[in-house]
Amino acid sequence: MSHSMRFRRSTSHRAGYPVSVAISATSDNARSHMGNWYVLLIAVTTLFVIFGCVRAETPVDSTSPATGAAADESSEESLAILAGGCFWCTEAVFERMEGVTDVVSGYIGGRNANPTYRQVCTGMTGHAEAVQVFYDPSKTSFAEILKVFFKTHDPTTLNRQGVDTGTQYRSSVFYLDEEQKRIAADYIKELDTHGDFRNPIVTKLEKATEFYPAEEYHQDYFRRNPNAAYCQRVVVDKVRKFNRNFGDKIKEELK
């Protein structure tokens, strides 16, 4: 799956089932002729139903590689891909942000295809734990996404966030196009010059490569496991930091 594909957690795996139709034979030629046309009509209708179901279940390309703009079935979306340590933390923060329509945890920037969590945790695959942040550009922007990103993790510690160490926990912006790269580079320069960080920012700018959604149990981890030890010890602090600094950006239903 490329970085441009949306991971659909709610998608049913049910395929379209053909409808069995039985038509009674008759000796009357006219009625038999009409029966044949009726069978043909039912068959064609069934095919439309089947292909309609299959099409509905097939993931669609949700971004434009040239611009990073994501096209949902009913509205325009944009996409940012960010790595800021454990993806449970980053996901929990952005799921609270107004304008964000979906967040997907996964792996990016590594060497082998379809890595597992256990493989990535060794630090040997080169992947970073990252999130795809889908957002409505009429409600927020890539620049606003970056402000939240840099304020809710430490971009000055190389390959480390708190007790989590290794290249899989690196701070990185995986840009989708040159515009995102420019915006991120300019903001990092601004933070290094006028920001509140004592040490230089070490966040990498990496061209987005294949993004592999993490295993299902990693998705919405904080929401599903708010009382887990790591969530209480680490994730909660990131969420509270977002709440303190971006009270105006919290989704209305979460205030």
Side-chain angles (χ1 to χ4, degrees):
M1 180 180 292
S2 74
H3 66 268
S4 64
M5 297 296 285
R6 176 79 71 89
F7 177 62
R8 301 179 181 276
R9 294 188 292 272
S10 61
T11 297
S12 167
H13 298 289
R14 182 179 56 190
Y17 291 102
V19 179
S20 176
V21 179
I23 301 296
S24 298
T26 175
S27 57
D28 184 83
N29 290 335
R31 296 184 66 179
S32 176
H33 184 68
M34 292 180 63
N36 290 338
W37 277 106
Y38 183 68
V39 170
L40 180 60
L41 177 62
I42 291 297
V44 171
T45 302
T46 301
L47 286 175
F48 273 109
V49 171
I50 293 174
F51 284 116
C53 291
V54 171
R55 184 174 182 273
E57 297 296 331
T58 303
V60 296
D61 189 345
S62 59
T63 67
S64 167
T67 64
D72 196 59
E73 287 89 341
S74 59
S75 65
E76 289 296 320
E77 285 183 321
S78 292
L79 171 65
I81 304 178
L82 307 168
C86 176
F87 47 27
W88 296 345
C89 296
T90 317
E91 178 192 67
V93 166
F94 282 106
E95 284 188 334
R96 301 183 63 79
M97 184 175 177
E98 179 63 34
V100 171
T101 56
D102 195 15
V103 185
V104 178
S105 291
Y107 317 113
I108 190 172
R111 292 176 290 276
N112 57 303
N114 301 308
T116 65
Y117 182 63
R118 180 172 296 182
Q119 291 171 337
V120 173
C121 282
T122 67
M124 302 299 291
T125 70
H127 292 89
E129 290 193 14
V131 294
Q132 287 181 318
V133 181
F134 292 88
Y135 62 95
D136 182 346
S138 70
K139 296 182 178 179
T140 190
S141 64
F142 184 66
E144 291 298 310
I145 295 287
L146 290 181
K147 288 180 181 179
V148 172
F149 175 65
F150 281 99
K151 195 70 174 179
T152 54
H153 86 292
D154 186 351
T156 68
T157 52
L158 184 64
N159 300 328
R160 179 169 65 84
Q161 287 295 302
V163 298
D164 295 324
T165 60
T167 56
Q168 67 270 32
Y169 301 114
R170 65 185 180 272
S171 174
S172 189
V173 175
F174 289 88
Y175 59 89
L176 296 172
D177 53 38
E178 290 303 310
E179 179 68 4
Q180 285 193 348
K181 182 180 181 181
R182 182 191 63 77
I183 293 172
D186 288 349
Y187 189 57
I188 289 173
K189 183 178 180 180
E190 177 185 337
L191 290 176
D192 269 332
T193 304
H194 304 292
D196 300 326
F197 300 107
R198 295 181 179 179
N199 299 313
I201 291 175
V202 297
T203 301
K204 292 184 175 182
L205 298 182
E206 302 181 61
K207 185 176 178 60
T209 55
E210 197 85 357
F211 182 92
Y212 300 97
E215 295 82 346
E216 170 63 20
Y217 70 91
H218 288 298
Q219 310 300 331
D220 299 316
Y221 191 85
F222 179 63
R223 181 177 60 81
R224 294 176 173 182
N225 307 276
N227 298 316
Y230 187 90
C231 291
Q232 287 295 307
R233 188 172 65 251
V234 181
V235 184
V236 164
D237 287 341
K238 299 291 183 74
V239 171
R240 287 173 178 167
K241 192 170 186 178
F242 170 78
N243 291 344
R244 287 195 304 269
N245 291 279
F246 301 100
D248 60 327
K249 299 184 186 302
I250 302 175
K251 290 179 178 178
E252 191 63 35
E253 64 271 22
L254 298 177
K255 290 182 178 179

